[in-house]
Structures are given as structure tokens and as C-alpha cells.
Amino acid sequence: MFADGMHEESELKKPGLDHAMMQPCSHHRPNIVRLDKLLMMSLKTQKSIAAILLCLGAASPVCALELQNQNFSDDEIFSAVVNRFKKPLLHRFNSAATGERPPLLVLGPALKFGAKIKSTSFTHLTQQELVEQQQAVFLLVTKAYPDPERNALYMDYDIPSNASFGVLKVYPKDGGLVTEVLDSYRSSSGARATYGKLYKGVVCQDNTEMAYRWNYYVRNGSSGRCPDTMFTEFTD
């Protein structure tokens, strides 16, 4: 039925430290040197933790890779992700649709991007834009998080048009990006649930991909007419 395709603040004050600092410098220079090293280490630790917290708060996947000086852009990261699933993302439920359209990428609310990603290999739509256009074939990335060593990125993905979802691993290798599917599942009820969350309370529009998708699901041929006013098949 589906298309294929907090750290605590460091305590630098040690017993006897005040007494040591009151003595002549010529006799206690090693203590001062050690103190300087401790201060430098503390500052470096604070900066590192601040950087990690900043990236986690921004929820941008590019942070995970920039920490190891790879400097991949959002476009490069998501182009690799989209390319991994390109075939099913090119499918159209409207058989009369002509021309190849770039794959559609939708990022969930957990991924906080201040601006849309401009790319030649895919089109980045907000969830609002997706619903307004009533698109049915798209890649939805709900989460993106780095591994503990921050040298790879994991993404929870969902492609409801072919009822597939899972976890994708993205990591740098030989100057490029490699994608690896770690978990992959197929579920028609899961696909309906995804559409239901997006299109709950939305009036169906004729001749949209979602209208064709609905008819495809209920085996009503290639009609672009909405079977009902609301998307009851996916939201009830």
C-alpha cells in the first residue's frame, strides 16, 4: 500500500596555600606555577563546558561536528541525510505530476534553526509550510543528538509516505560525511499517526499530494478528490 522506494566550581584554595603565598617568591615559585596551571585548566574546562552547553541549547546538529573541527555546514549535513533516502522522497502519489521536484526536508520543533536551510539538493520546509501545501512525501527529522565523544550525530527520522522510520548515524570520514542506518522500521499505523499529528483539524484540499495520498491508501484509484472534509483517515 505504500511507495517503495554543571559542573561544580573548582576549589583552588588548598590547606597552607595562604601561608605559602606569604613566603618569599624565590623559595616557593613552584607553588605559584602550579597555581597558574590550575587556573588555566579551570578556565579551559569552563570554556569547554560552556561550548557544549551552548551547542546543546542551540540544538543544531552542526555543533556536534564543529567541536572536532570538521566545520560541515547544515546544508552539507542534511544533504547527506536526504541523499540517503532520495529514492522514496522522489515518489509522487499524483501520477500525473511532471518534472522532478527536490526532496522535502522538515525539521521537528526540537531542532531550533533560526533560518531555513538554503540548498540545491533539497527544499527545507517548516511544518506550517508543509501543512499549508498539504504535502505527503517528505523526510521528517524529529531529533538530532551527538554521541558522548561528539564525533558522530544521530538523527531520528520518519518518512510516512512509505511507512518507514528509524535512527540514522552521520559521521565524518576522509573529509566527507557518511550516513549509516542503525535502526529501521516499517509501520502503516505509525505512518498514519505521523500524518495525523500534522494534519489534525486541517481541511483537506483537492488535488494536493495529501488528497492523492488518502485515495491511494483507501484504494480509490488516482483521484485527487478529498474523500472527506477533514483528514479523518489519519486523525480518528
Side-chain angles (χ1 to χ4, degrees):
M1 293 189 295
F2 294 92
D4 290 329
M6 318 191 82
H7 70 288
E8 297 180 357
E9 185 176 351
S10 299
E11 287 289 338
L12 299 180
K13 189 173 182 180
K14 306 294 182 181
L17 182 60
D18 292 336
H19 175 74
M21 295 183 66
M22 293 174 61
Q23 303 303 313
C25 294
S26 59
H27 297 290
H28 296 276
R29 186 173 302 277
N31 286 336
I32 296 176
V33 172
R34 283 196 296 270
L35 177 60
D36 289 343
K37 289 183 178 180
L38 285 171
L39 286 169
M40 292 178 65
M41 290 174 62
S42 177
L43 289 173
K44 288 181 179 180
T45 301
Q46 291 178 29
K47 289 180 180 180
S48 298
I49 293 177
I52 293 173
L53 291 176
L54 178 60
C55 282
L56 290 174
S60 174
V62 74
C63 285
L65 299 181
E66 279 185 339
L67 288 180
Q68 58 174 349
N69 299 317
Q70 296 293 331
N71 298 319
F72 289 105
S73 67
D74 294 336
D75 181 16
E76 290 174 306
I77 293 172
F78 284 105
S79 289
V81 173
V82 169
N83 189 61
R84 182 65 178 79
F85 304 107
K86 186 174 182 179
K87 185 177 179 179
L89 294 177
L90 293 179
H91 176 76
R92 294 294 174 268
F93 288 101
N94 178 6
S95 58
T98 59
E100 185 175 298
R101 186 191 65 182
L104 302 181
L105 171 71
V106 182
L107 304 180
L111 280 73
K112 302 173 184 178
F113 281 81
K116 290 200 297 184
I117 304 170
K118 296 181 180 180
S119 176
T120 58
S121 60
F122 64 85
T123 299
H124 176 196
L125 295 179
T126 64
Q127 289 194 22
Q128 181 179 352
E129 289 172 330
L130 179 83
V131 173
E132 288 174 348
Q133 299 175 21
Q134 299 204 359
Q135 298 288 354
V137 183
F138 53 88
L139 169 63
L140 173 62
V141 177
T142 56
K143 294 180 182 179
Y145 44 94
D147 64 358
E149 292 76 24
R150 309 189 72 78
N151 57 17
L153 188 66
Y154 296 87
M155 295 189 185
D156 292 0
Y157 71 88
D158 191 347
I159 309 175
S161 56
N162 72 343
S164 66
F165 63 98
V167 179
L168 183 73
K169 179 181 179 180
V170 186
Y171 57 95
K173 183 178 180 180
D174 299 330
L177 287 170
V178 177
T179 59
E180 177 184 351
V181 176
L182 299 182
D183 296 300
S184 180
Y185 308 92
R186 299 293 292 271
S187 171
S188 58
S189 60
R192 289 197 299 271
T194 297
Y195 283 130
K197 291 176 182 178
L198 290 168
Y199 289 100
K200 183 177 182 179
V202 177
V203 176
C204 181
Q205 299 176 23
D206 290 338
N207 300 317
T208 60
E209 277 291 308
M210 274 303 294
Y212 281 100
R213 171 70 181 86
W214 193 350
N215 282 300
Y216 180 90
Y217 181 78
V218 299
R219 298 188 178 94
N220 194 20
S222 59
S223 173
R225 296 290 299 274
C226 294
D228 203 343
T229 303
M230 314 294 284
F231 289 101
T232 53
E233 174 59 42
F234 308 103
T235 58
D236 287 352

